[in-house]
Amino acid sequence: MENHSVQIDNREKMTITDIKEIDSFDEEEIRASLRQGAMVIRGEDLHIQMLDLTEGRAQIAGVINSLMYVKVKEKGERGFLAKLVK
């Protein structure tokens, strides 16, 4: 398994490794599943220039405003609100 890495060049081009799949995308947001968790990329005029799921690599172009890692809930794991309202 390859290590996860992100390379951003001038906030205009991003290369990501260890991608499992692209969950959703449009010109303002891309959601991707990684082998360990997920990530959300937000920006303007975002395009997926290259996607190779066999290699787990993607290249994204556009104006990159933010990158956020998110935890993926396991099946059966209850959310924060569900824990409060027992």
Side-chain angles (χ1 to χ4, degrees), residues 7-15 62 64:
Q7 179 181 345
I8 301 174
D9 297 324
N10 295 323
R11 291 183 53 195
E12 296 173 347
K13 186 176 182 181
M14 174 185 284
T15 304
I64 299 161

Side-chain angles (χ1 to χ4, degrees), residues 7-51:
Q7 179 181 345
I8 301 174
D9 297 324
N10 295 323
R11 291 183 53 195
E12 296 173 347
K13 186 176 182 181
M14 174 185 284
T15 304
I16 308 164
T17 63
D18 203 34
I19 292 221
K20 193 164 86 173
E21 65 183 334
I22 299 292
D23 299 317
S24 67
F25 66 93
D26 61 31
E27 291 186 343
E28 295 177 351
E29 182 177 276
I30 298 174
R31 292 178 178 261
S33 292
L34 306 171
R35 296 203 188 342
Q36 294 182 1
M39 68 176 12
V40 178
I41 302 152
R42 292 196 174 117
E44 302 164 29
D45 198 28
L46 296 176
H47 296 330
I48 300 172
Q49 288 188 319
M50 185 274 299
L51 176 62

Side-chain angles (χ1 to χ4, degrees), residues 2-4 6-7 13-14 20 26 33 40-42 45 50-51 53 55 59-60 64 68 72 77-78 80 84:
E2 183 178 342
N3 291 330
H4 169 65
V6 175
Q7 179 181 345
K13 186 176 182 181
M14 174 185 284
K20 193 164 86 173
D26 61 31
S33 292
V40 178
I41 302 152
R42 292 196 174 117
D45 198 28
M50 185 274 299
L51 176 62
L53 295 178
E55 293 286 321
Q59 227 173 40
I60 296 166
I64 299 161
M68 178 174 52
V72 177
E77 184 178 332
R78 296 170 38 164
F80 176 73
L84 287 177

